[in-house]
Amino acid sequence: AHYPLQLLLYLAALHRYLRWRQPGYDPEQHLGGGLYLFVRGMCGPDTPAPDGTPTGVMAWRPPAALVVELSAVLDGRVR
């Protein structure tokens, strides 16, 4: 459980890496979202997609500002 929190933490780590390695890094432009793939929920090409997203897939692109703020909190810059 807590997959959205895990995704935010992974994106905060990716944000820090890109900030360090990508010249001209802009979180709004360069930071995408993430996917969680739950293999047990998938059954190949016939996987149902009741809302347009196949079962077993969680996709989320949180606002870049949220990722940047979480990174600042983890740095201890925000209390």
Side-chain angles (χ1 to χ4, degrees), residues 1-11 36 58 60 62 70:
H2 306 294
Y3 297 112
L5 176 58
Q6 288 182 34
L7 183 62
L8 274 174
L9 291 170
Y10 292 143
L11 287 174
Y36 268 96
M58 184 194 102
W60 186 36
L70 175 60

Side-chain angles (χ1 to χ4, degrees), residues 14-32 61 63-65 67-68:
L14 178 60
H15 162 70
R16 291 170 176 221
Y17 178 78
L18 291 174
R19 185 178 60 191
W20 172 56
R21 297 292 298 165
Q22 176 71 36
Y25 170 67
D26 174 17
E28 292 288 340
Q29 179 185 358
H30 297 109
L31 191 63
R61 183 176 184 174
V67 177
V68 170

